[in-house]
């Protein structure tokens, strides 16, 4: 994984606590804010709004999409730690100010809390999503 060990451990603790009590203790939420800074609260909002979808093809390929607060849909690749949003390109890649953007954090949190919307898509639909992202960037 591409996250620091402390971040991985925090996400594991959040998942465990939520599985045991359907609740995330305040000290873990504070840890989230400490490690991920200004991305933490907006990411939690995205999770609360069930804005994270996991797209899965029959062959098992997966991709995450997050409906951002602006209403735009962003594609997140948790396997390689990448998001198509402008904040990721600027704050994470160019300036190295953040570990990740709120969309990727929302993906990690949604997975930990079992809050992803599951969508089945064909291989062709997934390919079209990926090609559309490439056109947007180019």
């Amino acid at each position: 994984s591409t996250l620091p060990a402390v971040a991985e451990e925090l996400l594991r603790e959040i998942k465990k606590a939520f599985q045991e009590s359907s609740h995330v203790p305040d000290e873990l939420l504070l840890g989230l804010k400490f490690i991920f800074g200004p991305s933490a609260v907006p990411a939690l909002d995205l999770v609360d709004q069930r804005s994270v979808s996991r797209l899965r093809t029959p062959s098992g390929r997966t991709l995450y999409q997050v409906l951002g607060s602006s209403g735009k849909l962003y594609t997140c690749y948790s396997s390689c730690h990448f998001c198509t949003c402008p904040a990721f390109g600027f704050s994470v890649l160019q300036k190295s100010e953040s570990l990740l953007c709120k969309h990727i954090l929302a993906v990690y949190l949604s997975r930990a809390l079992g809050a992803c919307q599951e969508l089945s898509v064909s291989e062709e639909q997934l390919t079209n999503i990926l090609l559309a992202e490439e056109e947007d960037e180019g």
Side-chain angles (χ1 to χ4, degrees):
S1 179
T2 54
L3 285 178
V6 66
E8 291 281 349
E9 181 60 27
L10 177 62
L11 290 167
R12 273 193 295 276
E13 290 293 319
I14 288 172
K15 180 177 184 169
K16 182 175 177 235
F18 190 77
Q19 286 174 337
E20 290 171 359
S21 67
S22 299
H23 165 86
V24 179
D26 289 347
E27 65 268 12
L28 294 179
L29 293 174
L30 286 171
L32 202 63
K33 186 139 177 52
F34 180 76
I35 291 173
F36 295 107
S39 299
V41 172
L44 286 166
D45 286 342
L46 290 170
V47 174
D48 282 345
Q49 294 163 19
R50 300 202 45 91
S51 298
V52 179
S53 298
R54 178 168 56 180
L55 285 57
R56 183 184 297 268
T57 66
S59 69
R61 291 174 38 194
T62 59
L63 175 70
Y64 291 88
Q65 287 192 318
V66 180
L67 184 60
S69 48
S70 66
K72 185 161 174 22
L73 200 59
Y74 297 107
T75 302
C76 297
Y77 307 87
S78 60
S79 59
C80 64
H81 193 70
F82 181 81
C83 179
T84 58
C85 77
F88 184 83
F90 187 72
S91 299
V92 179
L93 296 179
Q94 285 181 355
K95 294 222 171 221
S96 298
E97 291 174 343
S98 305
L99 282 173
L100 39 70
C101 65
K102 66 183 178 183
H103 308 109
I104 294 177
L105 182 53
V107 167
Y108 287 127
L109 290 169
S110 289
R111 286 179 13 192
L113 302 175
C116 282
Q117 307 222 40
E118 299 287 338
L119 302 173
S120 294
V121 296
S122 69
E123 302 291 338
E124 185 179 357
Q125 286 170 312
L126 188 68
T127 300
N128 289 338
I129 291 167
L130 296 173
L131 290 174
E133 288 296 339
E134 208 169 88
E135 286 172 14
D136 288 350
E137 292 166 13

